């Protein structure tokens, strides 16, 4: 039995906070933290934080499309971010935390753009949806201590969530 997998790449602020929502879904093979969208090969965390590499923190998700669809992943993504904030996410400010859906096929682009349009049309947000949809670029794994952060450092991960993300998610999505 051959198993087909695909990948999805999402940037939505601190990658520590973006792993758990996807990691716990059926059909997810792996969720890794890394850097993408920049112009420096193999950047370090310090280089990305400097703002000089053009990268954003992101997660790369390997999934089985027969169990969970790309559309479902995009829906999960929207519920983790503030799509009206182009300058970061919650307490994480700056270019390396900007929200971007990185697509790696015309089909992914079509799904992401339709989903963004549906969100715009929903009236859920008063401000414009500013999350960008861009072609996938090279993805560089973050250092090992960033991988599975919510499992390795649960208290610190919980503290990060309390920086506004969890409250936002509850306020915006709890009735959906």
């Amino acid at each position: 039995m051959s198993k087909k997998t695909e990948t999805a790449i999402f940037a939505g602020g601190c990658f520590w906070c973006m792993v758990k929502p996807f990691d716990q879904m059926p059909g997810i093979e792996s969720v890794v933290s890394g850097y993408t969208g920049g112009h420096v090969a193999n950047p370090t965390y310090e280089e990305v934080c400097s703002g000089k590499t053009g990268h954003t923190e992101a997660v790369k998700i390997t999934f089985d499309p027969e169990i969970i669809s790309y559309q479902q992943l995009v829906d999960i993504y929207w519920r983790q971010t503030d799509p009206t904030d182009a300058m970061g996410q919650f307490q994480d400010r700056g270019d390396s935390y900007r929200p971007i859906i990185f697509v790696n096929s015309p089909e992914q682009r079509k799904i992401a753009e339709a989903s963004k349009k549906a969100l715009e049309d929903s009236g859920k947000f008063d401000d414009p949806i500013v999350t960008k949809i861009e072609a996938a670029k090279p993805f560089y794994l973050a250092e090992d201590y960033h991988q599975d952060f919510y499992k390795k450092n649960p208290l610190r991960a919980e503290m990060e969530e309390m920086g506004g993300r969890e409250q936002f998610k509850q306020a915006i999505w709890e009735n959906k």
Side-chain angles (χ1 to χ4, degrees):
M1 173 168 90
S2 71
K3 188 186 251 185
K4 181 182 178 226
T5 60
E6 295 180 17
T7 59
I9 301 172
F10 300 117
C14 176
F15 46 34
W16 293 347
C17 299
M18 293 294 292
V19 174
K20 186 177 180 181
F22 296 102
D23 195 37
Q24 300 184 333
M25 299 300 298
I28 301 297
E29 303 282 324
S30 69
V31 182
V32 295
S33 297
Y35 316 109
T36 191
H39 55 270
V40 174
N42 298 305
T44 65
Y45 180 68
E46 291 73 22
E47 289 171 332
V48 171
C49 288
S50 77
K52 296 177 182 170
T53 69
H55 290 89
T56 186
E57 291 189 12
V59 291
K60 183 177 184 179
I61 302 159
T62 302
F63 66 100
D64 181 342
E66 293 184 12
I67 299 173
I68 189 166
S69 69
Y70 183 74
Q71 177 67 59
Q72 289 171 298
L73 295 177
V74 172
D75 291 344
I76 294 167
Y77 170 78
W78 290 125
R79 288 171 165 68
Q80 309 313 310
T81 66
D82 178 352
T84 67
D85 187 351
M87 298 310 297
Q89 292 290 286
F90 313 104
Q91 79 273 20
D92 301 313
R93 309 312 304 157
D95 208 41
S96 63
Y97 298 115
R98 64 197 187 276
I100 305 171
I101 297 173
F102 289 96
V103 296
N104 58 37
S105 70
E107 181 64 22
Q108 283 190 359
R109 180 174 293 280
K110 180 179 167 189
I111 290 167
E113 288 177 353
S115 181
K116 180 178 177 179
K117 176 85 168 90
L119 189 60
E120 290 169 343
D121 293 346
S122 75
K124 184 171 272 303
F125 297 95
D126 294 331
D127 294 325
I129 305 301
V130 296
T131 300
K132 292 190 184 298
I133 298 170
E134 297 181 2
K137 296 175 178 71
F139 184 91
Y140 302 100
L141 279 179
E143 296 78 357
D144 188 57
Y145 68 93
H146 291 299
Q147 305 303 329
D148 294 318
F149 190 83
Y150 80 97
K151 293 177 185 175
K152 294 176 183 174
N153 298 286
L155 183 58
R156 175 81 190 275
E158 188 176 319
M159 288 170 46
E160 288 294 321
E161 282 285 305
M162 297 312 289
R165 187 183 300 262
E166 192 59 37
Q167 297 90 327
F168 180 85
K169 287 169 25 178
Q170 288 176 4
I172 297 297
W173 298 108
E174 70 182 5
N175 296 326
K176 183 125 174 113

